[in-house]
Amino acid sequence: MNLRALAAKVAFQVLEKGISLSVALPDQQKHLESGKDKALLAELSYGVMRHLPQLDKLVSDCMSKPLKGKQRIVHQLLLIGCYQLYFTRIPSHAAISETAEACRQLKFEGLVKVVNGVLRNIQRQEKPLPTDNDTLAFNTPSWIVKRLKAAYPENWQEVIEQSHQRPPMWLRNNKRSQTRDEYLAALAEIDIPASAGKSSDAILLESPRDVAQLPGFDQGAASVQDGAAQWAATLLAPKDGELVLDACAAPGGKTCHLLELANIQLVAVDFDEKRLERVQQNLDRLSLDAKLVHGDAADIDSWWQGDKFDRILLDAPCSATGVIRRHPDIKWLRKQSDIDELAALQSKILDHCWQWLKPGGTLLYATCSILPQENEQQIRSFLERADDATLIPISEQPHPDDIGWQITPGTENMDGFYYARLVKG
Ligand SMILES: C[S@@+](CC[C@H](N)C(=O)[O-])C[C@H]1O[C@@H](n2cnc3c(N)ncnc32)[C@H](O)[C@@H]1O
């Protein structure tokens, strides 16, 4: 099937069915043979998610009435067409004719003329990208813009701008296989330019690569993990012989990092059985071992009769607003009402995990959110209700008096993340 038709299917799945891009895209990519085609399908799908309000406005302005019901996929196809005209170097005539052909292949023969007409109009008018309100100007829902303005009064525009950049590819060196310097040398040998990140195992690639090109990837020499996410295991700093809980573990990036750092007994729990399978796959590739539990981190008593834990990583379910640059569909899948629900779930899990931490133990609270309600405010209220909790500042945080370390997207090339390190007194 024509690549634009596949791209329309991806956009339809995400925008009409609420399926995440990371599921919908690979589902359609499998119909394509060449890496180049797969990359173009990704570019069109990501591009539409990044620029949705502006594309929507340009397309809707050229239509006499909106497409509804089953025909919505043709609307998504028009977004794909419009994206090509504004944001790619694909010649306009090719973009338009391929998109019209896609309409035929999607079995909307009767709308081919509409697709042709709308895209020709858009091309002829050459209107500037609309910026009439915050949603349009920042290609971000107004409720998110409003919260970011309040949270980052001095640099909210920069935060949004960074959330629209293409993210770099980070690797995590597996120190059980080789030192980071040795892995950097192995990359240099095959002309993959890369540099060391600030945390102990992080490597930043100059440009993204297929993992198949990375030395020893299948044997577990390295993993793909953002630089911000790599601080989790480093900050929790497990020691040999300790009993550690990874309370929201799937798909297991941080689980594996913890096990690479020390010889610990690790219990990794997640609510989602399907995602837990990915933890096992990651452990297998890296030849690591953990006790996996399909269970609720807010009800540890129901599945654990062992000792309390020396250390707990609580990488809580969150809005994921810090990783919009990697998952631009988050902007459209998340609803404002989700934030209160997530914050309530986070505090429930946090309170319960705290009961299972040994006196003197450390709990690291982490999210990939940039909203204070899930981060600083969450920890501030926890400290008010838990009188045996002490917040230990993180040396990397720019202001030692802040409640935790809020990383904004793009800081030192990292995703947006939040960390708070708590010790039980
Ligand atoms: C941010 S993700 C974790 C990412 C993971 N730590 C990693 O580094 O790969 C949050 C996880 O929390 C899980 N989750 C949500 N509610 C949970 C609960 N009540 N108990 C356990 N896991 C839960 C979700 O299924 C999801 O996999």
Side-chain angles (χ1 to χ4, degrees), residues 26 32 41 61 86 128 161 189 239 256 268 307 309 369 389 393 399 411:
L32 296 168
L41 179 57
D61 282 356
Y86 273 84
E161 159 128 4
E189 211 162 285
K239 304 280 176 296
C256 294
D307 289 345
F309 298 92
S369 164
H399 309 290
T411 305

Side-chain angles (χ1 to χ4, degrees), residues 225 229 246-255 269-272 275 295-298 313 315-318 345 349 366-368:
Q225 188 179 39
D246 186 353
C248 292
K254 301 179 190 80
T255 314
V269 63
D270 203 281
F271 210 47
D272 185 330
R275 278 166 67 89
D296 185 353
L313 171 61
D315 188 17
C318 73
L345 177 62
I349 299 178
T367 72
C368 56

Side-chain angles (χ1 to χ4, degrees), residues 1-5 44 77-78 80-82 84-85 88 90-106 108-109 111-121 123:
M1 190 176 250
N2 167 308
L3 194 148
R4 276 78 177 169
L44 300 181
L77 180 64
L78 282 163
I80 304 287
C82 187
Q84 293 169 80
L85 295 177
T88 71
I90 299 167
S92 314
H93 62 87
I96 296 174
S97 66
E98 287 285 322
T99 308
E101 171 57 23
C103 184
R104 195 168 286 118
Q105 289 197 11
L106 289 168
F108 287 96
E109 190 83 35
L111 291 171
V112 172
K113 271 196 183 146
V114 175
V115 168
N116 245 318
V118 168
L119 293 180
R120 287 234 169 89
N121 245 331
Q123 181 211 5

Side-chain angles (χ1 to χ4, degrees), residues 246-288:
D246 186 353
C248 292
K254 301 179 190 80
T255 314
C256 294
H257 196 193
L258 287 165
L259 289 162
E260 286 166 5
L261 293 187
N263 296 320
I264 52 173
Q265 194 189 335
L266 183 64
V267 179
V269 63
D270 203 281
F271 210 47
D272 185 330
E273 200 168 13
K274 201 88 202 116
R275 278 166 67 89
L276 211 49
E277 286 171 16
R278 293 184 47 209
V279 183
Q280 190 58 55
Q281 287 160 9
N282 281 321
L283 289 167
D284 290 346
R285 185 180 61 83
L286 293 158
S287 308
L288 296 168

Side-chain angles (χ1 to χ4, degrees), residues 143-161:
W143 70 269
I144 296 185
V145 178
K146 201 168 149 205
R147 282 176 183 239
L148 294 180
K149 277 184 184 176
Y152 307 96
E154 270 139 43
N155 63 336
W156 60 273
Q157 276 162 303
E158 161 81 3
V159 171
I160 296 178
E161 159 128 4

